[in-house]
């Protein structure tokens, strides 16, 4: 079924915005989470051409010596009694070789009692009042455009806080917009969350829909989510319909894994042997065989040989993580940010590898400050006390529990100073936010105020950071501490005038001298300086384009969900260096207009802190 946009103007605006998306991105378009062909949308027919699902048939009971004889349709038995009791019905029939890979799959994965089917009118775990957006968050924006934006927007985003806002929007308890089938809309949201590294959030959406209602797009999104959450068993209800729509070998491997997990050892072995006979001996087959080895009575063991493997794919991540296999460090180091974020939360992965990926998860917004502290605490608990001294966990504990504030601050300085990579440095600020909030406000610590304030704001502790306003203002400097408070404090508690702005811009030592213009643009977007003041400081909004018109229109229509999504479109960059000041101005202003002042301030402060 095709849906029409409401009017010609909407069609033209949407088309122009979609054409503009590639120009906004600083990265190539994202590829499928699965290896080539596995779940590729091009291999799946559109919904209206999908093979109809046959009606569910009752499973034929297996005959055992203790089972009652099976009945035919007319009630007669299929076996004849003899003097020995039972005569085989197959007597006289020639034996034939059975391809165990072709045996019928179980059909009773799920049975939803009549009347208890879950509605798809509203899907999402976050309710209004519990971080969720209102049901009209996407307003009258056409679903065709929203779906296309989700599919074509690259991730991760430059801003951690923008990712957090967009996650909330996608997880909210919302109806599908006009023009999109409700289950497909949930699938698009889940697929984008997977792309952002939000594996658990994607699973929450996938599991909110009864499997019997899955569309081809939801089957694809659910498969991606199963791999991202290292849960190959979640593929099992999908294999049957997926194999009717795709001939990809990896769905066949998934069939074999599920057969093993269901106790069908012979069938699982037959499928694995069939794939190996086709010349499929590689790391992907070995990982599938390792999962098969977990099943009951399979008597199979696979030895993983990573030699010659150049990249970690979602398939390889999902199966290796599910079986507790160690992925070579060089593959993890070169993995996409989303895969590193999935790795950080995978419970079967060794803690050392999870720690190595936790910084990426935190910088993307997948891990909160609390989550990051927890994983370092877990590592410290597993470390021999004789070897704990000097570890990150031990120094973090010192930053929390030392009686002397100077000693706590010294521990924080060491944690901040020992890392240089931008992602690692940002993660250390997030990790130390709680400890930073416990440092007393004092002139003695004014030199550390920029890092202390940046750390607190990275975790959203704006009230705690604002306590430093009096000390920073008394110092009179136009440094990063002043700039962060000018942007992040709930109420302006430092002087913001042309002289101090000019001094900050003149002292800008960031790459490309980007920090000063971003400060001015953000102050203007927050309404903390006038447009005339911004102009006198060198900032003028850029020329209108499809994206700026779209986000301005969504803000005027009071559509916070649309604003959050369009903010993500404008932040498609590997870092803040790739975001124009004008885009920051538009995003901050739009968020503030739709009532998300806190989120606007956190994004603005993040831009200055990370440059």
């Amino acid at each position: 079924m095709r849906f029409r946009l409401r009017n010609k103007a909407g069609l033209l605006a949407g088309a122009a915005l979609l054409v503009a998306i590639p120009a906004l991105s600083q990265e190539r378009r994202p590829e499928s989470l699965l290896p080539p062909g596995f779940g590729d949308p091009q291999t799946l027919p559109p919904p209206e051409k999908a093979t109809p699902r046959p009606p569910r048939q009752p499973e034929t009971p297996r005959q055992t010596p203790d089972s009652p004889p099976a009945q035919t349709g007319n009630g007669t038995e299929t076996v004849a009694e003899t003097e020995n009791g039972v005569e085989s019905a197959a007597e006289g029939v020639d034996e034939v070789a059975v391809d165990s890979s072709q045996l019928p799959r179980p059909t009773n994965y799920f049975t939803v009692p009549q009347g208890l089917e879950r509605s798809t009118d509203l899907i999402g775990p976050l309710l209004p009042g519990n971080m969720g957006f209102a049901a009209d968050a996407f307003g009258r924006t056409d679903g065709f455009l929203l779906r296309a934006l989700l599919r074509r927007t690259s991730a991760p985003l430059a801003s951690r806080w923008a990712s957090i806002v967009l996650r909330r929007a996608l997880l909210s308890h919302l109806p599908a917009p006009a023009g999109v089938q409700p289950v497909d809309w949930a699938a698009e949201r889940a697929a984008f969350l997977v792309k952002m590294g939000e594996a658990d959030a994607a699973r929450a959406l996938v599991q909110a829909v009864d499997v019997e209602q899955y569309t081809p797009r939801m089957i694809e999104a659910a498969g991606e989510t199963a791999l991202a959450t290292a849960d190959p068993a979640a593929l099992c209800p999908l294999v049957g319909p997926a194999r009717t729509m795709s001939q990809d070998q990896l769905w066949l491997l998934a069939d074999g894994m599920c057969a093993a997990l269901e106790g069908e050892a012979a069938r699982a072995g037959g499928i694995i042997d069939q794939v190996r006979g086709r010349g499929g001996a590689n790391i992907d087959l070995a990982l599938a065989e390792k999962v098969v080895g977990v099943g009951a009575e399979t008597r199979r063991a696979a030895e993983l040989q990573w030699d010659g493997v150049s990249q970690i794919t979602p398939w390889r991540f999902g199966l290796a993580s599910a079986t507790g296999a160690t992925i070579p460090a060089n593959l993890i180091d070169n993995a996409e940010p989303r895969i590193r974020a999935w790795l950080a939360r995978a419970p079967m992965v060794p803690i050392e590898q999870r720690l190595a990926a936790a910084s990426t998860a935190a910088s993307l917004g997948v891990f909160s400050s609390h989550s990051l502290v927890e994983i370092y605490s877990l590592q410290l608990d597993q470390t021999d006390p004789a070897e704990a001294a000097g570890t990150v966990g031990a120094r973090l504990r010192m930053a929390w529990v030392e009686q002397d504030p100077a000693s706590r601050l010294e521990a924080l300085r060491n944690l901040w100073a020992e890392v240089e990579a931008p992602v690692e440095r940002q993660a250390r600020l997030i990790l130390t936010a709680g400890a930073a909030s416990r440092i007393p406000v004092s002139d003695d610590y004014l030199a550390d105020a920029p890092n202390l304030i940046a750390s607190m704001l990275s975790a959203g502790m704006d009230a705690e950071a604002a306590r430093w306003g009096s000390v920073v203002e008394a110092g009179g400097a136009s440094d990063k501490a002043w700039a962060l408070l000018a942007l992040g404090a709930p109420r302006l508690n430092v002087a913001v005038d042309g002289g101090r702005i000019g001094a900050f811009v003149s002292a800008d030592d960031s790459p490309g001298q980007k920090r000063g213009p971003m400060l001015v643009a953000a102050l203007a977007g927050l309404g903390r300086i006038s447009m005339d003041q911004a102009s006198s400081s060198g900032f003028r909004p850029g020329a209108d384009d499809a994206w700026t018109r779209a986000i301005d229109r969504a803000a005027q229509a009071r559509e916070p969900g649309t604003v959050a999504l369009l903010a993500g479109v404008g932040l498609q960059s590997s870092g803040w260096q790739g975001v124009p000041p004008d885009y920051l101005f538009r995003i901050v202003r739009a968020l503030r207009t739709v009532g998300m002042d806190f989120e606007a301030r956190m994004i603005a402060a993040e831009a200055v802190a990370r440059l």
Side-chain angles (χ1 to χ4, degrees), residues 357-554:
S359 294
T360 299
S363 69
L364 298 181
V366 176
F367 267 21
S368 66
S369 176
H370 180 73
S371 298
L372 200 54
V373 169
E374 278 193 334
I375 193 170
Y376 275 101
S377 298
L378 177 62
Q379 188 258 355
L380 183 62
D381 289 342
Q382 298 178 2
T383 303
D384 189 313
E387 301 174 355
T391 63
V392 173
R395 284 177 289 157
L396 178 63
R397 181 171 59 187
M398 185 180 299
W400 272 89
V401 304
E402 282 290 328
Q403 293 295 321
D404 180 20
S407 298
R408 297 203 303 271
L409 185 55
E410 183 61 27
L412 291 175
R413 291 191 190 111
N414 292 335
L415 289 170
W416 296 331
E418 69 181 5
V419 292
E420 295 182 0
V423 169
E424 294 292 337
R425 175 164 174 75
Q426 174 68 5
R428 287 297 172 86
L429 293 173
I430 297 168
L431 174 68
T432 56
S437 70
R438 300 184 68 245
I439 300 298
V441 176
S442 171
D443 294 340
D444 296 337
Y445 308 139
L446 182 59
D448 296 291
N451 282 330
L452 290 168
I453 295 170
S455 179
M456 288 181 274
L457 292 178
S458 72
M461 304 174 74
D462 56 340
E464 292 82 352
R467 294 187 295 113
W468 285 83
S470 59
V471 172
V472 171
E473 183 64 18
S478 295
D479 60 2
K480 185 179 280 191
W482 165 82
L484 292 175
L485 289 177
L487 296 171
R491 290 173 297 279
L492 198 57
N493 61 354
V494 293
V496 176
D497 54 43
R500 298 190 77 166
I501 294 174
F504 184 85
V505 172
S506 299
D508 186 359
D509 59 354
S510 63
Q513 295 185 315
K514 191 76 174 286
R515 189 186 298 135
M518 293 293 258
L519 168 71
V520 180
L523 286 171
L526 290 172
R528 294 191 167 179
I529 62 173
S530 67
M531 292 307 298
D532 289 340
Q533 287 176 295
S535 179
S536 64
S537 298
F539 171 74
R540 294 177 180 81
D544 286 347
D545 58 26
W547 176 82
T548 59
R549 288 192 295 271
I551 195 168
D552 289 347
R553 185 166 53 247

Side-chain angles (χ1 to χ4, degrees), residues 214-426:
Y214 276 17
T215 62
R217 178 57 175 151
M218 180 57 92
I219 291 172
E220 180 186 3
E224 296 171 354
T225 302
L227 295 178
T229 54
D231 184 10
L235 293 170
C236 298
L238 313 175
V239 170
R243 290 198 63 190
T244 66
M245 296 181 286
S246 171
Q247 299 302 313
D248 194 286
Q249 178 174 280
L250 292 181
W251 278 116
L252 179 59
L253 287 176
D255 197 356
M257 293 187 300
C258 292
L261 296 176
E262 295 151 6
E264 298 281 352
R267 185 169 182 277
I271 292 175
I272 294 297
D273 292 340
Q274 176 184 343
V275 175
R276 181 178 287 107
R278 295 177 181 176
N282 52 36
I283 188 65
D284 297 324
L285 174 61
L287 284 165
E289 191 166 13
K290 193 169 182 66
V291 175
V292 168
V294 177
E297 300 181 0
T298 55
R299 295 187 178 89
R300 283 178 176 260
E303 183 178 351
L304 301 181
Q305 296 290 340
W306 294 95
D307 297 342
V309 178
S310 60
Q311 64 175 333
I312 181 70
T313 64
W315 173 269
R316 294 164 187 170
F317 160 79
L319 302 194
S321 300
T323 56
T326 300
I327 302 172
N330 65 304
L331 296 180
I332 295 299
D333 293 341
N334 296 321
E336 298 176 67
R338 59 181 177 175
I339 293 181
R340 290 175 62 82
W342 305 340
L343 183 72
R345 45 75 51 210
M348 293 292 289
V349 173
I351 188 66
E352 292 77 15
Q353 285 201 331
R354 293 180 61 196
L355 274 175
S359 294
T360 299
S363 69
L364 298 181
V366 176
F367 267 21
S368 66
S369 176
H370 180 73
S371 298
L372 200 54
V373 169
E374 278 193 334
I375 193 170
Y376 275 101
S377 298
L378 177 62
Q379 188 258 355
L380 183 62
D381 289 342
Q382 298 178 2
T383 303
D384 189 313
E387 301 174 355
T391 63
V392 173
R395 284 177 289 157
L396 178 63
R397 181 171 59 187
M398 185 180 299
W400 272 89
V401 304
E402 282 290 328
Q403 293 295 321
D404 180 20
S407 298
R408 297 203 303 271
L409 185 55
E410 183 61 27
L412 291 175
R413 291 191 190 111
N414 292 335
L415 289 170
W416 296 331
E418 69 181 5
V419 292
E420 295 182 0
V423 169
E424 294 292 337
R425 175 164 174 75
Q426 174 68 5

Side-chain angles (χ1 to χ4, degrees), residues 9-36:
L11 175 61
L12 295 176
L17 179 56
L18 294 179
V19 170
I21 289 178
L24 300 176
S25 177
Q26 302 297 315
E27 303 172 343
R28 63 182 175 81
R29 286 184 59 191
E31 298 178 356
S32 172
L33 292 174
L34 311 180

